[in-house]
Amino acid sequence: ARVQREQSDLLDHHQVALPAIQQAAGPGAGFDTLAVFESYPVDQAGEEAIAIDGMTVTGASGADDTHYPVSIIAYAQPELTIKVKHRAELIPQVVAEGIAARLGMVLDAFAGDASVRVG
């Protein structure tokens, strides 16, 4: 609840316009990666709205689709689940499966030995 309150206090500062990013980064700078952490309380049964610091979340729905060639989506419902989605017109299925397999191996290695450095 504390983290949610603190985050809601920062909502006005969560966005930077793309032109401002491009101006700060300089000519030729671009990006093809997006990292998103979504953490909002939702009553999964849909029985009641959840209020946080004057903001009410009544539910969440929609698709995880983006314009990025590959998207990795992680969520806990109730256990950690990771999806690797891809745009089929840009990334062949076999390549997406390879990305998912390598990600799984990295996560297994990291979880299996706390002394392994992530980098």
Side-chain angles (χ1 to χ4, degrees), residues 8-100:
S8 67
D9 289 342
L10 295 172
L11 285 175
D12 292 339
H13 309 286
H14 278 196
Q15 186 266 343
V16 177
L18 182 57
I21 293 171
Q22 291 169 327
Q23 182 178 12
F31 56 91
D32 62 1
T33 304
L34 175 68
V36 176
F37 175 73
E38 294 180 346
S39 174
Y40 44 85
V42 176
D43 174 21
Q44 294 297 329
E47 297 171 1
E48 64 181 71
I50 298 173
I52 301 168
D53 204 24
M55 185 173 55
T56 302
V57 178
T58 58
S61 64
D64 295 325
D65 295 334
T66 71
H67 68 279
Y68 293 96
V70 175
S71 297
I72 299 172
I73 302 109
Y75 57 93
Q77 292 183 344
E79 59 196 31
L80 177 63
T81 301
I82 298 175
K83 288 184 189 177
V84 176
K85 297 179 82 175
H86 69 287
R87 289 184 50 197
E89 70 275 15
L90 299 174
I91 305 292
Q93 180 71 26
V94 67
V95 173
E97 289 170 356
I99 292 169

